[in-house]
């Protein structure tokens, strides 16, 4: 009834669970792509040491930073386009 009096419609618990699961899937996929991409670029296939050396650590740090930077830019671009499409469609 709150919707009739100006309140926001309530989201069911099933919808909340579905949204949370979708978000977990998205974050898991992004993490998996990050690990795969940066490992391929920065870690030599011939493991010589148990720990990362300084070059590998620096490479991974930069790779992760760039990965997130690109994701932010892509998200902003997609949100901007969605806003334009929403505003231009009416």
């Amino acid at each position: 009834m709150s919707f009739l009096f100006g309140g926001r419609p309530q989201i069911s618990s099933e919808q909340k669970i579905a949204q949370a699961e979708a978000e977990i899937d998205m974050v898991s996929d992004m993490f998996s792509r990050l690990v795969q991409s940066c490992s391929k670029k920065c870690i030599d296939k011939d493991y010589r040491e148990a720990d990362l050396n300084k070059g590998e650590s620096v490479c991974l740090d930069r790779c992760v930073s760039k990965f997130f930077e690109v994701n932010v830019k892509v998200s902003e671009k997609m949100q901007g386009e969605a806003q334009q499409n929403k505003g231009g469609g009416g």
Side-chain angles (χ1 to χ4, degrees):
M1 290 300 252
S2 65
F3 178 70
L4 297 175
F5 300 107
R8 294 188 326 184
Q10 296 294 320
I11 298 175
S12 72
S13 60
E14 287 113 15
Q15 288 173 321
K16 288 179 183 178
I17 291 170
Q19 287 175 344
E21 287 175 344
E23 190 171 344
I24 288 171
D25 288 343
M26 187 176 67
V27 170
S28 296
D29 178 58
M30 185 175 72
F31 179 75
S32 175
R33 287 185 289 120
L34 167 76
V35 169
Q36 186 177 19
S37 175
C38 292
S39 294
K40 189 186 297 183
K41 289 178 185 175
C42 299
I43 299 176
D44 192 13
K45 302 287 184 259
D46 302 325
Y47 295 110
R48 294 185 188 103
E49 303 170 15
D51 296 330
L52 294 173
N53 63 38
K54 185 170 181 155
E56 291 169 333
S57 295
V58 169
C59 180
L60 286 169
D61 186 44
R62 289 179 179 167
C63 183
V64 170
S65 177
K66 288 179 182 179
F67 188 91
F68 282 114
E69 204 173 296
V70 168
N71 275 330
V72 167
K73 288 181 181 182
V74 168
S75 295
E76 289 172 353
K77 179 81 171 161
M78 290 175 69
Q79 287 175 355
E81 288 179 5
Q83 289 295 332
Q84 286 178 351
N85 290 340
K86 200 183 270 189

